[in-house]
Amino acid sequence: MTDEPLGAGMEEPANRNGAFPRLDDDQLARLRAAGRVRAVEPGEVLFREGEAGYDFFAVESGAIAIVQGYGRENHVVAVHGPHRFLGEIGLLKGEAAYVTAVVRDAGEIVQVAPGRMKELFIADEALSNLVLQAYLARRSILIELEVGEKLIGSRYSRDARRLRQFLDRNRRPYHWMDLEEDEDAEALLRALAIEPADTPVVIVRDQVLRNPSTAEVASALGVGARGAPPAMCDLVIVGGGPAGLAAALYGASEGLDTQAIDAVAFGGQAGTSMSIQNYLGFPTGIPGSELADRAAIQARRLGARLVVPAEAVGLASDDGHHSIQLASGDVINGRTLIVATGARYRRLDLPELERYESAGVYYAATEMEARFCADAPVVIVGGGNSAGQAAVSLSRRAASCQILIRGGDLGKSMSRYLVDEIERHERIEVLTHREVTELKGDDALAAVVVRDRRTGEHAELEARALFVFIGASPHTDWLRGHVAMDDHGFVLTGRDVEVPDGSERPFFLETSRLGIFAVGDVHSGSIKRVASAVGEGSMAVRLVHQRLAA
Ligand SMILES: Cc1cc2nc3c(=O)[nH]c(=O)nc-3n(C[C@H](O)[C@H](O)[C@H](O)COP(=O)(O)OP(=O)(O)OC[C@H]3O[C@@H](n4cnc5c(N)ncnc54)[C@H](O)[C@@H]3O)c2cc1C
């Protein structure tokens, strides 16, 4: 045993990507005015792993150690000295802390309550930008370090995949232990007397959750603040992609009592994009996850309630209000409803597809999938922008990347900037007039058989992963029978809705049921871009006002 304080002798981290800036004297003075200054002694805990709603701390003098597993493994992640501040993005999202802050060297700290911090951010744009950038960058570092809860399971398990998707899409740092290749994973299960059949297992601090539901994990982690909604909201938004987030932000900022829910995570499909290159104002692109985090924080700051995971499974409309039934059994009532549930990618019509869906066939190319196919051959099906973006980002790690399209010209369906980039890239090859006829492999995908549509010849392509981007089907099962839809299940809005003579016409973006609007990818004829989803989400709020007034 040693009496040395945690993090003794450890240097402060460098200011990588703006993660660890120093506050200047003026900024510290403004924080002092908003909070209180107090002396601290070594060993004092400022906030604890698992604590939600903790205060903002800046260091005047002395040093604070940031510790994972305080009192257990005591792993020191960083040390902060004078003019540095504590916390990461979870503080602004109201999530529980997953590290503990312990005073290493005696000194003075400035402590500011979350409510006062919110006011200060609104008044002080430069400080707010500095903290936000640092918090976003710190979250990325923590994700890389795999600090946080442990998830033990098999890469081939659907439940493990469901939990990984939830953690990844909510940008939670966690340590993934794959039973297929990590001997420590098995040893840990044995130590906990857990049978492999009870996996996946999530270990959050001292809680061990055996094949938990997504809601159980969210509650253990303090992700997505819940709290009962009021008996009747002005506006309920179902779906938290760019369209739903924009609607939440505008709804709350324009004085509507606004509640937004999402089944998995705020950010939607856009949140899974490694880099959105065509969103106005970001000339070098912006990672989808960062856009989602920024938008969710902004919407919450303006007063929207964002709840996750909350899946809508049914709807009842009655006399000017709408009741949304959730998978949990809860009901949310709203005077108006904005449907922003987006769409999911179509699947290939192959009998063996399902077998490989947890073992090499993917519908999104996020960091998680990119890691699986490092240094391996990859095949992508589809000729749209999503396929193009996946090819460009995956080819940074994959050994090779082949894009299969049914037609003869990639430029017909893909933006020019992506086609140009693909043509310049030496590890990406485009195979035209091809379709996949078979998937091959033992436990996991190893090859795909493709047919040349002109000659009928078959060829086998080596593939550790197959990415499928062949169009989308809308998330509208829960709305069937309530609003008019097109033949593919996308929601009809505005002029596309057929109205009996003499009946009131729906507004633009309004569905066949007055007071229910549909925005973004879920509505018939949508553009399927982040910018258009954001535009429609914002516009719909103006129409909601008109409907409420009418
Ligand atoms: C990998 C990838 C990269 C992309 N890159 C770009 C790009 O660079 N530029 C661009 O302009 N577009 C891009 N797109 C397209 C763009 O992301 C979408 O057009 C946009 O996200 C649509 O927004 P949305 O809000 O309508 O729906 P979505 O983003 O699909 O969000 C819908 C949300 O609703 C939730 N949901 C679904 N059903 C329910 C339910 N029953 N209850 C509660 N919640 C539910 C989902 O969990 C999801 O979060 C990309 C798409 C992908 C997949």
Side-chain angles (χ1 to χ4, degrees):
M1 274 296 275
T2 165
D3 288 337
E4 275 201 341
L6 287 170
M10 191 167 172
E11 300 279 318
E12 285 185 89
N15 187 18
R16 175 151 73 105
N17 295 334
F20 303 106
R22 284 189 203 283
L23 298 161
D24 63 27
D25 290 337
D26 287 348
Q27 288 166 332
L28 256 184
R30 285 198 290 281
L31 285 163
R32 255 183 248 128
R36 64 189 176 111
V37 182
R38 65 181 182 89
V40 287
E41 293 298 326
E44 180 178 339
V45 170
L46 301 181
F47 57 79
R48 261 179 211 283
E49 213 170 311
E51 186 179 327
Y54 57 99
D55 289 346
F56 176 93
F57 294 92
V59 187
E60 284 263 6
S61 59
I64 313 295
I66 302 301
V67 185
Q68 188 199 3
Y70 181 58
R72 302 190 306 273
E73 61 258 43
N74 281 336
H75 171 55
V76 180
V77 179
V79 169
H80 294 297
H83 287 243
R84 286 213 160 145
F85 55 88
L86 314 187
E88 59 87 50
I89 201 75
L91 189 152
L92 302 182
K93 292 160 90 178
E95 292 175 8
Y98 48 84
V99 287
T100 300
V102 191
V103 178
R104 185 189 75 177
D105 304 338
E108 286 193 326
I109 49 107
V110 185
Q111 181 166 1
V112 190
R116 288 290 293 133
M117 208 58 212
K118 228 179 185 182
E119 289 164 20
L120 190 59
F121 280 160
I122 292 169
D124 190 334
E125 202 179 311
L127 178 67
S128 146
N129 283 338
L130 182 88
V131 174
L132 183 58
Q133 182 53 46
Y135 279 3
L136 288 167
R138 286 180 193 183
R139 178 59 70 101
S140 298
I141 292 171
L142 292 171
I143 288 173
E144 269 173 37
L145 290 175
E146 300 186 10
V147 162
E149 50 277 3
K150 288 187 178 60
L151 169 57
I152 309 166
S154 160
R155 69 174 70 173
Y156 303 126
S157 146
R158 273 182 187 278
D159 284 318
R161 221 180 137 63
R162 164 178 60 82
L163 295 172
R164 293 194 74 189
Q165 185 199 38
F166 175 74
L167 295 170
D168 281 323
R169 280 195 46 198
N170 281 284
R171 283 188 38 87
R172 288 292 305 186
Y174 67 99
H175 182 47
W176 161 240
M177 300 177 82
D178 187 349
L179 280 168
E180 306 302 325
E181 60 181 27
D182 188 341
E183 285 172 9
D184 291 346
E186 262 193 70
L188 189 55
L189 286 187
R190 268 197 307 276
L192 293 167
I194 294 173
E195 294 296 321
D198 290 334
T199 59
V201 165
V202 181
I203 304 178
V204 187
R205 297 178 294 280
D206 48 4
Q207 285 185 73
V208 179
L209 308 172
R210 293 160 196 236
N211 196 6
S213 69
T214 312
E216 281 166 335
V217 173
S219 144
L221 298 176
V223 168
R226 310 201 120 244
M232 180 69 70
C233 310
D234 294 327
L235 171 60
V236 176
I237 299 151
V238 181
L245 279 168
L249 190 150
Y250 277 83
S253 73
E254 292 181 14
L256 297 174
D257 182 86
T258 303
Q259 169 114 5
I261 62 167
D262 196 287
V264 185
F266 284 90
Q269 296 172 66
T272 68
S273 170
M274 286 194 183
S275 176
I276 297 169
Q277 293 286 333
N278 57 354
Y279 192 57
L280 190 73
F282 294 92
T284 54
I286 177 167
S289 55
E290 183 175 332
L291 188 67
D293 268 348
R294 285 176 176 270
I297 289 166
Q298 196 179 5
R300 280 201 179 96
R301 203 187 75 191
L302 292 169
R305 287 184 304 279
L306 307 186
V307 178
V308 67
E311 184 187 356
V313 291
L315 176 71
S317 297
D318 186 23
D319 196 24
H321 81 269
H322 312 284
S323 300
I324 296 96
Q325 284 131 28
L326 306 186
S328 61
D330 294 337
V331 172
I332 307 177
N333 299 305
R335 287 189 184 85
T336 53
L337 166 64
I338 293 183
V339 176
T341 42
R344 89 174 69 85
Y345 279 96
R346 283 209 195 103
R347 302 164 79 233
L348 292 170
D349 186 15
L350 298 171
E352 67 277 19
L353 180 72
E354 202 173 331
R355 191 175 134 214
Y356 293 105
E357 277 188 322
S358 332
V361 173
Y362 304 108
Y363 299 91
T366 66
E367 181 60 24
M368 179 174 88
E369 288 83 12
R371 275 194 230 164
F372 274 147
C373 19
D375 301 324
V378 161
V379 171
I380 295 172
V381 187
N385 280 354
S386 302
Q389 286 196 344
V392 171
S393 69
L394 289 167
S395 58
R396 289 188 200 118
R397 295 207 195 188
S400 66
C401 192
Q402 289 171 307
I403 304 178
L404 311 181
I405 59 170
R406 288 165 71 90
D409 178 10
L410 196 60
K412 271 198 172 157
S413 48
M414 196 178 283
S415 298
R416 194 65 237 168
Y417 79 94
L418 277 171
V419 177
D420 289 346
E421 201 165 339
I422 285 167
E423 282 172 353
R424 278 196 304 269
H425 209 298
E426 56 186 25
R427 279 207 301 280
I428 307 180
E429 184 188 9
V430 180
L431 302 178
T432 57
H433 303 286
R434 300 299 208 289
E435 66 189 5
V436 178
T437 55
E438 195 185 340
L439 306 178
K440 286 187 162 180
D442 294 328
D443 290 340
L445 185 74
V448 298
V449 179
V450 298
R451 191 176 79 93
D452 187 322
R453 288 157 56 85
R454 293 161 303 185
T455 62
E457 277 174 23
H458 286 81
E460 196 170 300
L461 307 177
E462 203 191 336
R464 163 94 60 87
L466 174 70
F467 290 85
V468 182
F469 297 109
I470 52 168
S473 333
H475 291 287
T476 48
D477 287 351
W478 64 285
L479 284 171
R480 282 200 189 281
H482 294 281
V483 295
M485 297 179 188
D486 69 15
D487 294 343
H488 303 287
F490 287 90
V491 179
L492 294 169
T493 54
R495 287 179 181 280
D496 293 338
V497 176
E498 277 183 33
V499 176
D501 283 347
S503 300
E504 186 179 354
R505 282 214 69 82
F507 293 141
F508 177 59
L509 296 177
E510 196 170 26
T511 67
S512 55
R513 194 170 287 266
L514 302 188
I516 301 183
F517 296 79
V519 295
D521 284 9
V522 79
H523 84 80
S524 180
S526 73
I527 303 297
K528 301 204 172 42
R529 290 282 181 277
V530 175
S532 54
V534 167
E536 288 174 8
S538 328
M539 274 192 293
V541 169
R542 172 46 51 98
L543 304 165
V544 161
H545 280 294
Q546 285 180 22
R547 177 54 63 205
L548 286 171

